[in-house]
Amino acid sequence: NVARRDFASVTLTNGKLLVVGGYSGAAVLATSETYDPATNTWTATTGAMATARRFHTATRRPDGKVLVTGGETTGGTLLASAELFDPATGLWSATAAPMATARKLHTATLLMDGRIVVAGGEGGSGSLASAEIYDSASNSFAATGAMATARSGHFAWRLVDGRIGVIAGRSGATFLASAEVFTASAGTW
């Protein structure tokens, strides 16, 4: 329903696709909508995020709610805030606390135990090596070990054994070919 780029998207437990935030060409967006492949239709969600954002992440928690982290808002202000989308109500709520570090172009990857690892991205002084873990039970973030290489615009995924892998991206103006693996039990990369 709204033209957008630089948005985040995630598949909901009902098979619909949630598209959230982004940039319309004129403004950073706080709106979201869902796509239903069964009916081939888009529907605006009931509520909007408290903060318009782009270059953020969207990750589905095991309970079906979606965690949206960081990004950039109007005027290029970096965000440490995070919000939760409840598909049952179509409404948004803030997490109990923001992330420790404002970041955009980062990754957020679901661990097998339901926590979410937020890694890297760009901060106020360039690419970040820092990482944080979101815990659904406390609805808050805690710092964890930093990557060996600061990186933004990278790709992350959960390995079969439960660890998190990250590859490529860039560090400042340097494009990366390196990869790292995160072990949550040790908090190390």
Side-chain angles (χ1 to χ4, degrees), residues 94-149:
T95 56
M99 295 184 295
T101 303
R103 60 182 82 222
K104 68 178 183 179
L105 299 172
H106 54 286
T107 57
T109 312
L110 183 68
L111 290 165
M112 292 175 84
D113 65 8
R115 296 179 299 157
I116 298 170
V117 177
V118 178
E122 286 185 20
S125 59
S127 297
L128 299 169
S130 66
E132 306 180 43
I133 296 182
Y134 169 80
D135 185 341
S136 297
S138 64
N139 194 25
S140 61
F141 297 86
T144 190
M147 295 182 289
T149 303

Side-chain angles (χ1 to χ4, degrees), residues 48-53 66-69 81-85 92-95:
M49 293 183 293
T51 305
R53 60 184 79 218
V66 175
L67 174 70
V68 170
T69 62
S81 66
E83 302 185 44
L84 284 173
F85 175 72
W92 292 88
S93 61
T95 56

Side-chain angles (χ1 to χ4, degrees), residues 2-116:
V2 176
R4 61 182 83 215
R5 71 171 201 214
D6 309 328
F7 56 87
S9 63
V10 65
T11 304
L12 301 174
T13 55
N14 62 8
K16 294 180 181 179
L17 177 71
L18 174 69
V19 173
V20 57
Y23 181 66
S24 69
V28 179
L29 302 170
T31 60
S32 58
E33 51 190 295
T34 58
Y35 173 72
D36 186 344
T39 61
N40 195 30
T41 57
W42 289 91
T43 305
T45 59
T46 306
M49 293 183 293
T51 305
R53 60 184 79 218
R54 65 182 186 165
F55 305 126
H56 53 290
T57 61
T59 310
R60 189 180 75 212
R61 298 184 340 177
D63 66 1
K65 292 182 180 178
V66 175
L67 174 70
V68 170
T69 62
E72 172 186 281
T73 193
T74 306
T77 302
L78 293 175
L79 300 169
S81 66
E83 302 185 44
L84 284 173
F85 175 72
D86 186 345
T89 63
L91 300 176
W92 292 88
S93 61
T95 56
M99 295 184 295
T101 303
R103 60 182 82 222
K104 68 178 183 179
L105 299 172
H106 54 286
T107 57
T109 312
L110 183 68
L111 290 165
M112 292 175 84
D113 65 8
R115 296 179 299 157
I116 298 170

